[in-house]
Amino acid sequence: MKLICGNSNSALAKAIAAHMRVPLAQCKVRRFADEEVFVEIQENVRGDDVYVIQSTSYPANDNLMELLVLIDALRRSSSGRITAVIPYFGYARQDRKSSPRTPITAKLVANMITQAGADRVLTMDLHAGQIQGFFDIPTDNLYALPEIGNDIQKQKFRDNIMAVSPDVGGVVRARALAKRLSTGLAIVDKRRDKPGSSEVMNIIGDVSDKSCLLVDDIIDSGGTICNAATALLEKGAAEVFAYISHGVLSGKAVDRINSSDLTSLVITDSICATEAVTKSSKIRTISVAPMFSKAITRIANGESVSILFE
Ligand code: R5P
């Protein structure tokens, strides 16, 4: 077995490798003067079971291209089986035609990864579970929820906690958290006028005097979560925390969170933390490296992956 990574999240790749006690394969991923991606695998991979760890996070196009070129280099080096390990699968929000004459880019990216030569995909908390079907190769979608649930149980929250979905689309995830923690469930009815802006409309459920735990797959501009926190406090919530799988945190998102009504935000390390994230006193990161190392080991041994979530 070989583990290899591009430049998107080498911290997570190193953590996975450390958990598995397998060294990362020697590989150079660099740029020509005109920013073309160039990859050189510096050890024999012939016949190996190779896991390429690369999130397609910011800069999404560069990181996607690195993933594709890495897969191509492995295929041309006669690797036995290539698994694209994509802790954060970018472009997932473009999973349907949201208006006439728009692309379904999540499908296009799935085609590109398959065409490059991946034999299977391992990812986490896809924005929509059905994106698994965009790949015509086996695709395992892991869930951060057990790690999130474990972290919540270690915190000293008041007894009066409530799981909250920040929008109607996230109800299944919030319900699963509510079930895991045996708490109630509330829903923020959010309407978005245009991409990138969000507006909270209504809270479904009684949140008065509750410690609210917002749970979502992605935090990008931070608008959804910060507006939801304000709306929950206006409806009488005692405090608001957020647990989000993928900390995309574009632009001024960290500043927005630092000055928001949120008590704290917990994200996973599916995306490499920026300096602003590591310096923020409101943001904490939990690692999904143990979960990925278990899943990779199980795939390599031909064992069940779903058993990790039973
Ligand atoms: C949307 O359906 C997603 O689940 C997130 O709620 C959304 O991507 C968050 O975006 P932002 O942080 O920019 O409001």
Side-chain angles (χ1 to χ4, degrees):
M1 180 211 280
K2 289 261 158 70
L3 301 177
I4 203 161
C5 72
N7 291 314
S8 75
N9 196 345
S10 52
L12 176 62
K14 282 179 190 154
I16 294 172
H19 271 276
M20 295 180 67
R21 296 171 198 268
V22 173
L24 284 170
Q26 292 297 315
C27 166
K28 282 227 155 62
V29 182
R30 55 189 177 86
R31 299 284 188 278
F32 287 157
D34 64 352
E35 291 295 311
E36 276 183 20
V37 175
F38 178 69
V39 163
E40 194 176 357
I41 296 159
Q42 296 171 311
E43 58 186 82
N44 179 33
V45 290
R46 191 175 293 274
D48 286 340
D49 185 19
V50 188
Y51 296 81
V52 191
I53 304 165
Q54 175 86 337
S55 280
T56 50
S57 49
Y58 177 86
N61 299 333
D62 285 359
N63 285 329
L64 172 61
M65 199 63 203
E66 278 190 10
L67 175 64
L68 299 173
V69 177
L70 272 162
I71 293 170
D72 187 74
L74 289 164
R75 188 164 57 93
R76 292 177 197 282
S77 312
S78 307
S79 294
R81 182 176 70 167
I82 303 167
T83 301
V85 180
I86 314 172
Y88 169 67
F89 179 73
Y91 281 107
R93 285 172 286 181
Q94 296 184 47
D95 59 349
R96 64 192 186 286
K97 284 186 76 165
S98 51
S99 54
R101 297 174 295 284
T102 54
I104 304 180
T105 319
K107 170 63 179 155
L108 173 66
V109 171
N111 286 348
M112 289 160 80
I113 291 168
T114 310
Q115 281 300 312
D119 295 295
R120 54 185 308 134
V121 169
L122 174 63
T123 186
M124 184 184 88
D125 282 338
L126 281 170
H127 179 59
Q130 58 268 30
I131 294 171
Q132 282 174 93
F134 290 5
F135 291 93
D136 287 327
I137 50 178
T139 300
D140 292 300
N141 184 26
L142 306 179
Y143 302 101
L145 205 68
E147 309 295 325
I148 287 173
N150 291 342
D151 188 83
I152 291 169
Q153 274 157 351
K154 281 188 217 149
Q155 307 306 314
K156 293 194 172 59
F157 286 120
R158 303 152 75 238
D159 287 339
N160 219 0
I161 62 176
M162 190 163 219
V164 183
S165 174
D167 55 30
V168 176
V171 173
V172 172
R173 186 177 298 107
R175 193 188 292 131
L177 182 67
K179 193 174 163 202
R180 201 177 176 90
L181 301 174
S182 307
T183 68
L185 172 68
I187 300 161
V188 180
D189 174 27
K190 172 189 84 169
R191 293 205 195 142
R192 200 186 278 273
D193 290 338
K194 56 179 190 236
S197 76
S198 72
E199 191 181 1
V200 172
M201 301 299 289
N202 232 324
I203 308 291
I204 303 166
D206 181 8
V207 295
S208 46
D209 199 36
K210 296 280 196 301
S211 284
C212 290
L213 298 176
L214 282 160
V215 61
D216 207 354
D217 60 333
I218 293 171
I219 182 161
D220 189 350
S221 67
T224 302
I225 290 298
C226 295
N227 290 347
T230 304
L232 289 163
L233 290 176
E234 279 169 4
K235 291 284 179 187
E239 51 189 354
V240 184
F241 301 83
Y243 278 80
I244 316 282
S245 306
H246 305 296
V248 175
L249 298 170
S250 309
K252 299 262 178 226
V254 175
D255 292 345
R256 191 173 200 168
I257 286 147
N258 289 340
S259 54
S260 73
D261 290 323
L262 272 179
T263 300
S264 73
L265 163 69
V266 179
I267 53 176
T268 79
D269 54 357
S270 66
I271 295 174
C272 194
T274 59
E275 202 184 333
V277 170
T278 48
K279 280 189 176 158
S280 168
S281 57
K282 277 202 183 181
I283 306 177
R284 188 161 57 82
T285 303
I286 55 176
S287 183
V288 287
M291 180 175 75
F292 270 94
S293 64
K294 280 183 211 152
I296 292 171
T297 305
R298 289 189 155 271
I299 291 168
N301 294 338
E303 294 167 347
S304 165
V305 170
S306 64
I307 207 164
L308 294 173
F309 304 100
E310 281 167 7

